[in-house]
mmCIF file of all heavy atoms in Angstrom:
data_model
loop_
_atom_site.group_PDB
_atom_site.id
_atom_site.type_symbol
_atom_site.label_atom_id
_atom_site.label_comp_id
_atom_site.label_asym_id
_atom_site.label_seq_id
_atom_site.Cartn_x
_atom_site.Cartn_y
_atom_site.Cartn_z
ATOM 1 N N TYR J 30 -6.471 -11.151 0.775
ATOM 2 C CA TYR J 30 -5.738 -12.175 0.019
ATOM 3 C C TYR J 30 -6.688 -12.904 -0.914
ATOM 4 O O TYR J 30 -6.404 -13.213 -2.119
ATOM 5 C CB TYR J 30 -4.961 -13.065 0.887
ATOM 6 C CG TYR J 30 -4.183 -14.175 0.210
ATOM 7 C CD1 TYR J 30 -2.842 -13.938 -0.023
ATOM 8 C CD2 TYR J 30 -4.724 -15.411 -0.022
ATOM 9 C CE1 TYR J 30 -2.022 -14.874 -0.639
ATOM 10 C CE2 TYR J 30 -3.909 -16.379 -0.597
ATOM 11 C CZ TYR J 30 -2.631 -16.029 -1.021
ATOM 12 O OH TYR J 30 -1.791 -17.029 -1.587
ATOM 13 N N ALA J 31 -7.849 -13.183 -0.411
ATOM 14 C CA ALA J 31 -8.853 -13.902 -1.146
ATOM 15 C C ALA J 31 -9.577 -12.967 -2.255
ATOM 16 O O ALA J 31 -9.763 -13.306 -3.410
ATOM 17 C CB ALA J 31 -9.863 -14.604 -0.248
ATOM 18 N N ALA J 32 -9.809 -11.811 -1.732
ATOM 19 C CA ALA J 32 -10.668 -10.810 -2.490
ATOM 20 C C ALA J 32 -9.899 -10.088 -3.612
ATOM 21 O O ALA J 32 -10.401 -9.697 -4.669
ATOM 22 C CB ALA J 32 -11.434 -9.744 -1.545
ATOM 23 N N HIS J 33 -8.573 -9.701 -3.338
ATOM 24 C CA HIS J 33 -7.849 -8.875 -4.263
ATOM 25 C C HIS J 33 -6.557 -9.520 -4.786
ATOM 26 O O HIS J 33 -5.894 -9.124 -5.758
ATOM 27 C CB HIS J 33 -7.452 -7.542 -3.562
ATOM 28 C CG HIS J 33 -8.691 -6.801 -3.174
ATOM 29 N ND1 HIS J 33 -9.340 -5.979 -4.087
ATOM 30 C CD2 HIS J 33 -9.384 -6.590 -1.997
ATOM 31 C CE1 HIS J 33 -10.351 -5.459 -3.413
ATOM 32 N NE2 HIS J 33 -10.330 -5.776 -2.210
ATOM 33 N N GLY J 34 -6.154 -10.652 -4.042
ATOM 34 C CA GLY J 34 -4.889 -11.287 -4.535
ATOM 35 C C GLY J 34 -3.614 -10.740 -4.030
ATOM 36 O O GLY J 34 -3.438 -9.678 -3.322
ATOM 37 N N ARG J 35 -2.593 -11.596 -4.198
ATOM 38 C CA ARG J 35 -1.331 -11.453 -3.568
ATOM 39 C C ARG J 35 -0.616 -10.055 -3.960
ATOM 40 O O ARG J 35 -0.042 -9.400 -3.252
ATOM 41 C CB ARG J 35 -0.325 -12.669 -3.887
ATOM 42 C CG ARG J 35 0.952 -12.457 -3.269
ATOM 43 C CD ARG J 35 1.845 -13.739 -3.823
ATOM 44 N NE ARG J 35 3.107 -13.699 -3.092
ATOM 45 C CZ ARG J 35 3.282 -14.289 -1.864
ATOM 46 N NH1 ARG J 35 2.279 -14.984 -1.391
ATOM 47 N NH2 ARG J 35 4.558 -14.232 -1.274
ATOM 48 N N GLY J 36 -0.876 -9.790 -5.247
ATOM 49 C CA GLY J 36 -0.351 -8.498 -5.796
ATOM 50 C C GLY J 36 -0.652 -7.211 -5.206
ATOM 51 O O GLY J 36 0.044 -6.297 -4.761
ATOM 52 N N GLU J 37 -2.010 -7.087 -4.836
ATOM 53 C CA GLU J 37 -2.526 -5.924 -4.153
ATOM 54 C C GLU J 37 -1.938 -5.887 -2.716
ATOM 55 O O GLU J 37 -1.810 -4.776 -2.186
ATOM 56 C CB GLU J 37 -4.055 -5.935 -4.313
ATOM 57 C CG GLU J 37 -4.688 -5.606 -5.605
ATOM 58 C CD GLU J 37 -4.314 -4.161 -5.915
ATOM 59 O OE1 GLU J 37 -4.016 -3.334 -5.072
ATOM 60 O OE2 GLU J 37 -4.472 -3.826 -7.136
ATOM 61 N N LEU J 38 -1.986 -7.024 -2.027
ATOM 62 C CA LEU J 38 -1.424 -7.024 -0.642
ATOM 63 C C LEU J 38 0.056 -6.569 -0.662
ATOM 64 O O LEU J 38 0.526 -5.674 0.200
ATOM 65 C CB LEU J 38 -1.534 -8.402 -0.021
ATOM 66 C CG LEU J 38 -2.727 -8.719 0.827
ATOM 67 C CD1 LEU J 38 -3.912 -8.773 -0.097
ATOM 68 C CD2 LEU J 38 -2.466 -10.015 1.625
ATOM 69 N N THR J 39 0.801 -6.917 -1.629
ATOM 70 C CA THR J 39 2.228 -6.485 -1.816
ATOM 71 C C THR J 39 2.280 -5.032 -2.076
ATOM 72 O O THR J 39 3.207 -4.316 -1.492
ATOM 73 C CB THR J 39 2.921 -7.257 -2.878
ATOM 74 O OG1 THR J 39 2.890 -8.779 -2.568
ATOM 75 C CG2 THR J 39 4.422 -6.839 -3.081
ATOM 76 N N ARG J 40 1.387 -4.587 -2.938
ATOM 77 C CA ARG J 40 1.328 -3.080 -3.295
ATOM 78 C C ARG J 40 1.114 -2.316 -2.003
ATOM 79 O O ARG J 40 1.717 -1.255 -1.841
ATOM 80 C CB ARG J 40 0.292 -2.976 -4.364
ATOM 81 C CG ARG J 40 0.099 -1.475 -4.674
ATOM 82 C CD ARG J 40 -1.049 -1.352 -5.682
ATOM 83 N NE ARG J 40 -1.494 -0.024 -6.131
ATOM 84 C CZ ARG J 40 -1.978 1.027 -5.351
ATOM 85 N NH1 ARG J 40 -1.967 0.809 -3.956
ATOM 86 N NH2 ARG J 40 -2.460 1.963 -5.710
ATOM 87 N N SER J 41 0.161 -2.711 -1.255
ATOM 88 C CA SER J 41 -0.194 -2.033 -0.066
ATOM 89 C C SER J 41 1.003 -1.920 0.981
ATOM 90 O O SER J 41 1.288 -0.853 1.536
ATOM 91 C CB SER J 41 -1.464 -2.650 0.741
ATOM 92 O OG SER J 41 -2.582 -2.417 0.019
ATOM 93 N N LEU J 42 1.638 -3.012 1.114
ATOM 94 C CA LEU J 42 2.797 -3.067 2.022
ATOM 95 C C LEU J 42 4.099 -2.116 1.412
ATOM 96 O O LEU J 42 4.646 -1.402 2.222
ATOM 97 C CB LEU J 42 3.398 -4.500 2.189
ATOM 98 C CG LEU J 42 2.493 -5.405 2.898
ATOM 99 C CD1 LEU J 42 2.992 -6.893 2.657
ATOM 100 C CD2 LEU J 42 2.373 -5.149 4.334
ATOM 101 N N GLU J 43 4.209 -2.090 0.153
ATOM 102 C CA GLU J 43 5.212 -1.252 -0.448
ATOM 103 C C GLU J 43 4.855 0.269 -0.181
ATOM 104 O O GLU J 43 5.691 0.948 0.116
ATOM 105 C CB GLU J 43 5.461 -1.678 -1.898
ATOM 106 C CG GLU J 43 6.124 -2.922 -2.058
ATOM 107 C CD GLU J 43 6.122 -3.312 -3.723
ATOM 108 O OE1 GLU J 43 5.483 -2.605 -4.391
ATOM 109 O OE2 GLU J 43 6.782 -4.414 -3.946
ATOM 110 N N ALA J 44 3.680 0.463 -0.359
ATOM 111 C CA ALA J 44 3.185 1.858 -0.148
ATOM 112 C C ALA J 44 3.382 2.298 1.325
ATOM 113 O O ALA J 44 3.782 3.410 1.677
ATOM 114 C CB ALA J 44 1.670 2.047 -0.543
ATOM 115 N N ALA J 45 3.001 1.407 2.268
ATOM 116 C CA ALA J 45 3.153 1.708 3.628
ATOM 117 C C ALA J 45 4.641 1.946 4.009
ATOM 118 O O ALA J 45 4.877 2.843 4.845
ATOM 119 C CB ALA J 45 2.613 0.493 4.437
ATOM 120 N N ARG J 46 5.565 1.089 3.407
ATOM 121 C CA ARG J 46 6.944 1.317 3.754
ATOM 122 C C ARG J 46 7.619 2.681 3.123
ATOM 123 O O ARG J 46 8.557 3.144 3.571
ATOM 124 C CB ARG J 46 7.724 0.004 3.160
ATOM 125 C CG ARG J 46 7.489 -1.213 3.877
ATOM 126 C CD ARG J 46 8.449 -2.262 3.372
ATOM 127 N NE ARG J 46 8.164 -3.453 4.156
ATOM 128 C CZ ARG J 46 7.595 -4.608 3.587
ATOM 129 N NH1 ARG J 46 7.203 -4.503 2.219
ATOM 130 N NH2 ARG J 46 7.311 -5.634 4.301
ATOM 131 N N ARG J 47 6.871 3.196 2.136
ATOM 132 C CA ARG J 47 7.503 4.371 1.552
ATOM 133 C C ARG J 47 7.071 5.629 2.464
ATOM 134 O O ARG J 47 7.657 6.658 2.197
ATOM 135 C CB ARG J 47 6.788 4.650 0.078
ATOM 136 C CG ARG J 47 7.452 3.689 -0.800
ATOM 137 C CD ARG J 47 7.061 4.108 -2.369
ATOM 138 N NE ARG J 47 5.685 4.110 -2.580
ATOM 139 C CZ ARG J 47 5.124 3.016 -3.168
ATOM 140 N NH1 ARG J 47 5.981 1.966 -3.440
ATOM 141 N NH2 ARG J 47 3.915 3.094 -3.466
ATOM 142 N N GLY J 48 6.225 5.481 3.374
ATOM 143 C CA GLY J 48 5.918 6.483 4.352
ATOM 144 C C GLY J 48 4.581 7.265 4.030
ATOM 145 O O GLY J 48 3.882 6.741 3.238
ATOM 146 N N VAL J 49 4.419 8.254 4.876
ATOM 147 C CA VAL J 49 2.934 8.920 4.877
ATOM 148 C C VAL J 49 2.875 9.908 3.664
ATOM 149 O O VAL J 49 3.831 10.200 3.165
ATOM 150 C CB VAL J 49 2.753 9.623 6.148
ATOM 151 C CG1 VAL J 49 2.796 8.656 7.405
ATOM 152 C CG2 VAL J 49 3.728 10.831 6.374
ATOM 153 N N PRO J 50 1.672 10.153 3.266
ATOM 154 C CA PRO J 50 1.509 11.162 2.115
ATOM 155 C C PRO J 50 2.060 12.583 2.500
ATOM 156 O O PRO J 50 1.864 12.942 3.572
ATOM 157 C CB PRO J 50 -0.058 11.248 1.966
ATOM 158 C CG PRO J 50 -0.574 9.956 2.616
ATOM 159 C CD PRO J 50 0.267 9.754 3.649
ATOM 160 N N ARG J 51 2.427 13.237 1.638
ATOM 161 C CA ARG J 51 3.013 14.539 1.843
ATOM 162 C C ARG J 51 1.985 15.687 1.370
ATOM 163 O O ARG J 51 2.273 16.897 1.707
ATOM 164 C CB ARG J 51 4.300 14.839 1.117
ATOM 165 C CG ARG J 51 5.454 13.896 1.501
ATOM 166 C CD ARG J 51 6.683 14.107 0.732
ATOM 167 N NE ARG J 51 7.727 13.245 1.268
ATOM 168 C CZ ARG J 51 8.602 13.423 2.304
ATOM 169 N NH1 ARG J 51 8.388 14.559 2.992
ATOM 170 N NH2 ARG J 51 9.454 12.596 2.489
ATOM 171 N N SER J 52 0.975 15.257 0.763
ATOM 172 C CA SER J 52 -0.080 16.224 0.436
ATOM 173 C C SER J 52 -1.474 15.520 0.451
ATOM 174 O O SER J 52 -1.566 14.345 0.548
ATOM 175 C CB SER J 52 0.133 16.781 -1.111
ATOM 176 O OG SER J 52 0.125 15.676 -2.036
ATOM 177 N N GLY J 53 -2.571 16.310 0.352
ATOM 178 C CA GLY J 53 -3.940 15.816 0.426
ATOM 179 C C GLY J 53 -4.468 15.836 1.734
ATOM 180 O O GLY J 53 -3.886 16.189 2.682
ATOM 181 N N PRO J 54 -5.705 15.143 1.979
ATOM 182 C CA PRO J 54 -6.210 15.140 3.299
ATOM 183 C C PRO J 54 -5.619 14.349 4.345
ATOM 184 O O PRO J 54 -5.816 14.684 5.595
ATOM 185 C CB PRO J 54 -7.590 14.379 2.932
ATOM 186 C CG PRO J 54 -7.755 14.481 1.395
ATOM 187 C CD PRO J 54 -6.569 14.592 0.833
ATOM 188 N N LEU J 55 -4.687 13.464 3.987
ATOM 189 C CA LEU J 55 -3.848 12.802 5.023
ATOM 190 C C LEU J 55 -2.399 13.269 5.158
ATOM 191 O O LEU J 55 -1.678 12.754 5.970
ATOM 192 C CB LEU J 55 -3.904 11.142 4.648
ATOM 193 C CG LEU J 55 -5.168 10.397 4.632
ATOM 194 C CD1 LEU J 55 -4.919 9.042 4.199
ATOM 195 C CD2 LEU J 55 -5.613 10.418 6.201
ATOM 196 N N ALA J 56 -2.164 14.386 4.652
ATOM 197 C CA ALA J 56 -0.903 15.110 4.852
ATOM 198 C C ALA J 56 -0.913 15.591 6.368
ATOM 199 O O ALA J 56 -1.914 15.926 7.017
ATOM 200 C CB ALA J 56 -0.797 16.390 4.008
#
């Protein structure tokens, strides 16, 4: 929150809610 700001935290949460990656090393 201090280092990257509110917008980046919101972006991380939105990405997490969309689910896991379907391709790449974390597929």
Side-chain angles (χ1 to χ4, degrees):
Y30 182 88
H33 296 281
R35 184 181 186 88
E37 284 296 340
L38 268 69
T39 302
R40 175 184 174 304
S41 291
L42 292 171
E43 290 173 348
R46 291 189 181 104
R47 286 195 293 269
V49 301
R51 298 182 180 275
S52 61
L55 290 173

